[in-house]
């Protein structure tokens, strides 16, 4: 139950950010939850490269996960390949 409550809080915060973004009350980039900005480099070019690397890593993770799901369906195995 505590885990679901934590997920609910994160989802509510994301919904609040989305609604305020649509109404243009706050200025934010897509996927920006206003946490973690202190770890980005101060140089704009380095920040752009860091954001690009994060995007590429996310895409690679999605591709890997889709491969895992496809393999599980094709070979009719249970998750995770037991």
């Amino acid at each position: 139950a505590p885990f679901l409550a934590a997920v609910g809080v994160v989802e509510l915060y994301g919904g609040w950010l989305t609604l305020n973004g649509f109404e243009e009350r706050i200025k934010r980039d897509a996927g920006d939850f206003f946490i973690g900005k202190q770890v980005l480099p101060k140089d704009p070019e380095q920040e752009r490269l860091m954001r690009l690397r994060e995007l590429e890593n996310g895409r690679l993770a999605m591709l890997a996960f889709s491969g895992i799901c496809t393999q599980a369906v094709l070979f009719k195995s249970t998750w995770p390949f037991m």
Side-chain angles (χ1 to χ4, degrees):
F3 176 72
L4 291 178
V7 169
V9 168
V10 170
E11 289 295 324
L12 284 172
Y13 179 62
W16 179 84
L17 286 174
T18 301
L19 288 175
N20 285 312
F22 279 135
E23 296 173 359
E24 297 180 0
R25 287 189 221 156
I26 57 174
K27 172 73 175 115
R28 75 181 191 102
D29 296 327
D32 184 10
F33 287 91
F34 300 112
I35 54 175
K37 291 232 181 202
Q38 65 273 15
V39 298
L40 287 174
K42 302 300 179 210
D43 179 34
E45 180 61 25
Q46 291 297 321
E47 179 182 348
R48 187 190 69 75
L49 285 173
M50 178 71 81
R51 287 178 185 262
L52 179 63
R53 289 180 190 138
E54 288 291 327
L55 183 64
E56 289 172 345
N57 285 337
R59 288 177 177 164
L60 183 62
M62 287 188 289
L63 184 64
F65 185 75
S66 67
I68 290 170
C69 293
T70 302
Q71 186 175 357
V73 169
L74 287 177
F75 294 104
K76 296 178 178 48
S77 63
T78 60
W79 185 262
F81 312 111
M82 293 179 180

